[in-house]
Amino acid sequence: MQDRAQNRQETSLRDFLDVVFRRKWVIVSVFGFASVLVGSLDARGPALWESSSRVLVRRGEQASLLSPSVRTLGWAEEVASEIQVILSDDVFSRARKSFADSVRERGLPADWTFNAVAVRADVIGESNAFVISYADVRREVCTLGCNVVTQAFQEYYRERKTPPKLTDFFVAELADTRAQL
């Protein structure tokens, strides 16, 4: 066993360079082929544009209108919930309507439609900031899609977090009470 270890020579940098220079055409050929392949595949595909916006979300919900305390879930739960809200049908239906209105108002081509699959939402690090992005092959559609999704989420979030008007609350409570009587 010791004979094997003693017979084995150490590999030096010179030995490595000898092998590289002997096989230089193989190395250059593989590198060249890979470069040409990647370049041709990249040139074949259409350019994909992505527009993104950042939104800061306040964590927690107020326990009641009469109490100043805020009830919060764990960070992971809140982040997952907000991402699902951003990707929800409620936000997307608002975004579709706003997208169609914007296309009509600006006189853009009628075939431009909102694509919910092109929307992505992520959290930035371990913060309360979210990135909402929209990807498309047309740059203008990309910008418009990102803007309408962001605005739709902000409107939905504002409506969800704003307490109901007191008159509406009391009218609804009176109607419930009358119905129960």
Side-chain angles (χ1 to χ4, degrees):
M1 192 67 150
Q2 290 179 347
D3 293 338
R4 277 186 166 170
Q6 289 174 352
N7 289 339
R8 201 163 93 195
Q9 296 177 351
E10 288 189 28
T11 307
S12 67
L13 180 61
R14 184 176 181 88
D15 295 334
F16 174 73
L17 291 176
D18 284 342
V19 172
V20 167
F21 283 120
R22 269 187 275 147
R23 304 287 186 197
K24 65 183 169 195
W25 291 113
V26 173
I27 295 169
V28 169
S29 299
V30 168
F31 179 76
F33 178 73
S35 299
V36 168
L37 180 65
V38 167
S40 65
L41 289 175
D42 186 46
R44 276 187 19 199
L48 186 65
W49 294 89
E50 184 175 15
S51 182
S52 62
S53 63
R54 294 179 183 196
V55 179
L56 180 64
V57 175
R58 185 178 306 169
R59 288 185 60 200
E61 289 185 8
Q62 191 170 354
S64 74
L65 291 175
L66 303 174
S67 171
S69 65
V70 176
R71 181 185 59 195
T72 58
L73 298 172
W75 179 82
E77 290 175 284
E78 289 233 13
V79 166
S81 297
E82 290 303 329
I83 287 176
Q84 291 306 312
V85 167
I86 293 169
L87 301 175
S88 70
D89 286 335
D90 292 334
V91 172
F92 285 167
S93 64
R94 292 172 189 237
R96 269 190 207 92
K97 183 179 181 310
S98 180
F99 191 92
D101 292 344
S102 295
V103 165
R104 194 171 37 265
E105 287 172 5
R106 296 179 187 181
L108 299 172
D111 66 330
W112 287 11
T113 57
F114 178 76
N115 182 10
V117 177
V119 178
R120 199 177 81 228
D122 294 313
V123 66
I124 301 173
E126 290 188 16
S127 67
N128 295 335
F130 294 88
V131 174
I132 301 172
S133 59
Y134 190 93
D136 198 273
V137 294
R138 296 167 293 202
R139 186 178 69 198
E140 297 83 10
V141 171
C142 195
T143 304
L144 181 60
C146 183
N147 289 342
V148 297
V149 170
T150 303
Q151 290 170 354
F153 171 68
Q154 287 173 337
E155 290 170 8
Y156 182 83
Y157 184 81
R158 197 173 298 118
E159 286 177 13
R160 191 179 74 183
K161 295 290 183 172
T162 303
K165 293 182 178 177
L166 290 179
T167 56
D168 294 342
F169 174 75
F170 285 118
V171 168
E173 287 298 315
L174 283 172
D176 287 345
T177 305
R178 286 185 183 134
Q180 288 176 358
L181 290 175

